[in-house]
Amino acid sequence: MMPNEKPKRRLVRAALKYSGLFVLAGGVVLAGSALLTKLPGEEIVAGNLKRNSATYVTMKDGTKIAVDVWLPAQIKAGEKMPVLIMTTRYWRAPQPGSLMRALYGVGLDVQDEIVSPFLRFMNQRGFVVLKVDARGSGASGGNRLGEWAPDEVKDFGEVARWASTQRWSNGSVGAVGVSYEGNTAELYASTGEPSIKAVAPLYDDFDPQLHNSNPGGAFNTGFISVWGKATAAMDRNDVCGIFETTGINCTLVKLMVRGVKPVDADPSSTQLAEILRTRKSNNILNALKGVEYRDDLFRNGGGISLADASPFSKKEAAEKHQVPMMVWSSWMDAATTDGTLSRYLTFNTPQVVHIGAYSHGGEHDTDPTMPVDTQAMTGSEKQWIIIANFFDTYLRGGTAAAPKRVINYFTMGARTWHQTAVWPPIGTAKQALYFGDRSSLISAPSETASDRYAVDFTAATGKPTRWATQMGGGDVIYPDRRDADKKLFSYTSAPFPAATTITGTPIVTAYLSTTAHDGIVIAYLEDIGPDGRVTYVTEGVLRLTNRKETDANLPYVTLGVNRSFRRTDALPIIPGEVMEVRVPLYATSTQIKAGHRLRIALAGAADGQFDRTPKMGPVTWTIYRDVKRPSGVELPLVP
């Protein structure tokens, strides 16, 4: 959902990296040779074409969509190449300031701040790359009342059709991108535009609501508040607002970046200024604050829900057009992998899936069983090679190989890759463990027992978590959790006699009552080593009003427990009444080594991450664990 190759992250990094040089700005700017240096993309290639050009493409309704065209440096006069489109709402490109140009001119490494390494790589592989500002964002016209709105999706087909007819195009178009751009890549496949031959949604949100903004119905304020402020500043073309800088720091930032890049025909930004003045934008933080349930509409969002804007709502179109898809996701990137697996189980379309242990965008290794500085086995550039090979198959012409349906997945702890055509993998078996006396996990439920837990609303998991990586693609780091667990209520197993691999969706069942009228349950699955270190494995989140399960047809195949999450199915909470609460944990593949123990730790809050629920007052749970109310966990084990 969020920025990854990330104008914001790249520009912040540059501002910090060269902040010490800002005091030398006058001297650097006076370096005439530096100021005359052409930036990447400004050179002329064969056929007297500018390598990077920016233009407006006019949609059928008259809206002007800003498009940057990047031609490969090696393109020959008259040569036609396949096209990859990356559509964003985070500015397709920044407008470099005088200091940025000067720094590049004197040989300092600011190229990544001007054009992303991924784009350069795909150019080198012989693809024309288009960067597109989505309707109502960046330098594009139109209004922006919600994310991935119907008019925006219509634009995708029109932009692809335009790209397929240009003199540098061979007529075959693909769409690719990380996060928000990943969602747009997937939505390109639903447009029915025949020139779109393949798409690669990378680390995207199949269900942005349940897998990101409202997991289990809990509002992800730690992420949405930061993201909402950043996108609102981008929509205003407010550079200093993006970086949250004022005074002299704001001035320095503007020397690096002037704002969103205008098109070539608008060098003085007059047309851009008029677009910014007249367009309407919906503050996404305010819009999402009103979305608690699946059937809630965006505030001021033109009468659509987040479900309407989600890729899962495009099943019929996706199956009709059968566009081959390559998907990358991570066990540790919000809940994107739950969406990846649900798509695979729901859409009868060609899909090649890679699920690893990565940060958002694939830059970092996030296997919590490994040291923090561990390098990803299939790092970013290796992923890019695989993605480029995929597009070569479908966009180069000739007879393409038969489309595939396969899942490649990585097992954390064991550090091994596996392949399966079905999910769960063949041979998966379920093992139940139950909450027992003295906070134990045992093989059979107790006779009659219960535990009381006063919810600690200061409980937290820290900042570099699976939810935080969606804002900028940073590493995911869970430290030893033995201190964090002191604020939770937990149940721990005996040591495992042999290495055991959990692959799939664990489900925690808790029969509990509460003293409050609302609340959330967060269930953590943890690995405890012989030295006592507590290692995060995965978690699940559920707002208690969403506990109702259903046999009704849902829009996609869910993992573990079927719920509608609709306001019409919400159940009231009666203090003191015992509820059966089943919490599916986010899918994982993790090996538990011999001699290690498993722990289920229960929390009623994640301070700084999810909205406090209820908003005020103390809360106490009673957790029942007996033969009639067998609280515990069901584990999916593979041989």
Side-chain angles (χ1 to χ4, degrees):
M1 196 178 198
M2 312 328 37
N4 183 58
E5 267 281 328
K6 327 156 187 146
K8 181 176 180 183
R9 186 179 123 182
R10 290 201 311 268
L11 299 174
V12 168
R13 184 176 64 209
L16 293 175
K17 184 176 181 180
Y18 298 111
S19 60
L21 294 174
F22 286 150
V23 294
L24 304 175
V28 174
V29 171
L30 289 175
S33 61
L35 290 175
L36 294 174
T37 300
K38 290 185 181 298
L39 293 177
E42 292 181 346
E43 63 270 31
I44 301 298
V45 297
N48 199 32
L49 296 173
K50 192 176 176 183
R51 188 177 167 217
N52 172 219
S53 58
T55 187
Y56 277 127
V57 178
T58 304
M59 302 292 100
K60 289 180 179 178
D61 66 359
T63 301
K64 295 182 180 300
I65 300 299
V67 177
D68 259 33
V69 178
W70 280 86
L71 300 176
Q74 70 272 25
I75 193 169
K76 298 180 176 65
E79 186 175 6
K80 296 179 181 293
M81 292 183 167
V83 180
L84 295 182
I85 301 179
M86 303 168 68
T87 300
T88 185
R89 61 101 62 247
Y90 307 123
W91 296 358
R92 77 198 189 286
Q95 182 179 16
S98 57
L99 182 58
M100 180 81 79
R101 183 177 290 273
L103 293 173
Y104 183 77
V106 297
L108 292 174
D109 184 15
V110 294
Q111 185 172 208
D112 288 359
E113 284 68 57
I114 300 168
V115 54
S116 78
F118 178 76
L119 188 156
R120 298 200 308 270
F121 177 87
M122 288 301 175
N123 262 180
Q124 291 164 3
R125 281 292 298 258
F127 295 96
V128 176
V129 180
L130 270 56
K131 288 283 290 188
V132 181
D133 278 331
R135 175 179 290 246
S137 73
S140 285
N143 297 322
R144 188 162 197 85
L145 301 182
E147 307 303 301
W148 310 290
D151 284 345
E152 179 182 343
V153 178
K154 289 179 184 177
D155 295 341
F156 300 162
E158 293 189 47
V159 170
R161 190 176 309 119
W162 174 85
S164 70
T165 62
Q166 301 307 297
R167 58 173 167 165
W168 30 256
S169 171
N170 72 353
S172 294
V173 176
V176 62
V178 168
S179 197
Y180 190 97
E181 294 177 13
N183 276 45
T184 62
E186 180 166 0
L187 292 169
Y188 269 86
S190 70
T191 63
E193 165 55 39
S195 64
I196 300 170
K197 307 296 186 184
V199 299
L202 314 174
Y203 306 93
D204 75 322
D205 290 290
F206 183 64
D207 184 346
Q209 185 171 1
L210 295 184
H211 299 156
N212 194 323
S213 67
N214 298 76
F219 189 71
N220 187 0
T221 189
F223 168 73
I224 296 298
S225 59
V226 177
W227 180 62
K229 291 177 182 176
T231 54
M234 281 188 164
D235 291 345
R236 297 191 306 268
N237 202 26
D238 178 4
V239 175
C240 295
I242 297 169
F243 302 137
E244 298 181 343
T245 58
T246 57
I248 185 64
N249 290 333
C250 174
T251 301
L252 295 175
V253 165
K254 286 182 175 180
L255 287 172
M256 292 288 284
V257 180
R258 295 171 61 187
V260 67
K261 178 185 175 184
V263 300
D264 294 344
D266 186 29
S268 62
S269 299
T270 303
Q271 195 169 1
L272 174 60
E274 180 62 15
I275 285 174
L276 293 169
R277 187 185 69 80
T278 58
R279 77 181 179 199
K280 297 177 181 178
S281 294
N282 195 4
N283 183 295
I284 194 62
L285 174 59
N286 295 335
L288 286 175
K289 270 290 188 181
V291 178
E292 293 184 74
Y293 296 94
R294 176 73 85 196
D295 42 352
D296 290 343
L297 303 181
F298 276 121
R299 287 178 180 169
N300 305 316
I304 66 171
S305 69
L306 196 47
D308 297 327
S310 300
F312 73 75
S313 69
K314 305 299 187 289
K315 178 179 185 295
E316 182 178 350
E319 292 185 336
K320 176 181 179 181
H321 302 302
Q322 292 291 309
V323 177
M325 181 181 297
M326 173 167 279
V327 179
W328 286 77
S329 66
S330 166
W331 302 119
M332 303 295 287
D333 177 16
T336 54
T337 286
D338 276 45
T340 295
L341 294 170
S342 287
R343 180 196 298 110
Y344 190 86
L345 294 171
T346 304
F347 286 16
N348 184 21
T349 58
Q351 298 176 50
V352 177
V353 174
H354 298 265
I355 305 172
Y358 305 114
S359 57
H360 191 55
E363 184 175 346
H364 302 280
D365 184 288
T366 59
D367 183 345
T369 70
M370 300 299 291
V372 169
D373 58 356
T374 299
Q375 297 297 305
M377 291 179 66
T378 309
S380 296
E381 291 197 15
K382 292 181 180 178
Q383 294 177 40
W384 299 348
I385 292 170
I386 295 170
I387 293 163
N389 292 343
F390 166 76
F391 281 119
D392 280 342
T393 299
Y394 296 104
L395 305 187
R396 294 289 179 189
T399 303
K404 298 179 180 178
R405 278 180 60 85
V406 67
I407 298 173
N408 304 283
Y409 70 94
F410 180 76
T411 297
M412 297 180 288
R415 308 290 291 176
T416 53
W417 281 94
H418 309 270
Q419 189 173 90
T420 178
V422 298
W423 196 265
I426 293 173
T428 302
K430 297 178 181 179
Q431 178 180 338
L433 295 173
Y434 300 92
F435 299 169
D437 294 337
R438 296 182 295 278
S439 296
S440 60
L441 270 179
I442 54 179
S443 58
S446 305
E447 287 299 320
T448 303
S450 63
D451 300 303
R452 289 174 65 82
Y453 168 57
V455 173
D456 190 330
F457 287 99
T458 68
T461 53
K463 286 295 182 184
T465 66
R466 67 189 303 145
W467 307 106
T469 186
Q470 288 252 325
M471 192 65 201
D475 206 351
V476 177
I477 302 169
Y478 285 96
D480 186 338
R481 287 182 49 79
R482 70 183 98 188
D483 287 338
D485 280 0
K486 292 176 182 177
K487 295 184 176 183
L488 314 182
F489 201 90
S490 62
Y491 300 90
T492 306
S493 75
F496 278 61
T500 302
T501 300
I502 300 169
T503 296
T505 302
I507 300 174
V508 169
T509 299
Y511 290 86
L512 63 82
S513 63
T514 176
T515 58
H517 289 277
D518 204 352
I520 62 173
V521 173
I522 307 170
Y524 298 97
L525 178 63
E526 300 170 333
D527 175 333
I528 305 175
D531 60 355
R533 188 186 196 283
V534 180
T535 299
Y536 175 98
V537 176
T538 186
E539 69 186 77
V541 186
L542 183 70
R543 185 178 177 186
L544 291 173
T545 55
N546 288 314
R547 66 190 183 277
K548 181 180 178 180
E549 300 181 25
T550 181
D551 294 326
N553 289 330
L554 298 177
Y556 61 80
V557 177
T558 58
L559 305 181
V561 179
N562 287 342
R563 292 189 171 97
S564 75
F565 289 94
R566 295 176 65 84
R567 184 176 291 274
T568 52
D569 286 332
L571 294 177
I573 299 168
I574 301 173
E577 183 177 280
V578 180
M579 302 171 284
E580 180 185 15
V581 180
R582 295 209 302 157
V583 183
L585 310 190
Y586 299 117
T588 188
S589 183
T590 303
Q591 184 186 79
I592 308 300
K593 292 180 169 53
H596 286 226
R597 295 174 292 159
L598 274 185
R599 172 174 291 171
I600 297 296
L602 301 178
D607 189 34
Q609 193 64 63
F610 303 120
D611 269 4
R612 189 194 198 278
T613 310
K615 295 188 181 300
M616 297 179 62
V619 177
T620 298
W621 294 347
T622 301
I623 304 165
Y624 298 87
R625 46 179 182 81
D626 53 51
V627 175
K628 292 184 177 180
R629 294 170 292 195
S631 298
V633 61
E634 180 182 272
L635 301 171
L637 307 181
V638 297

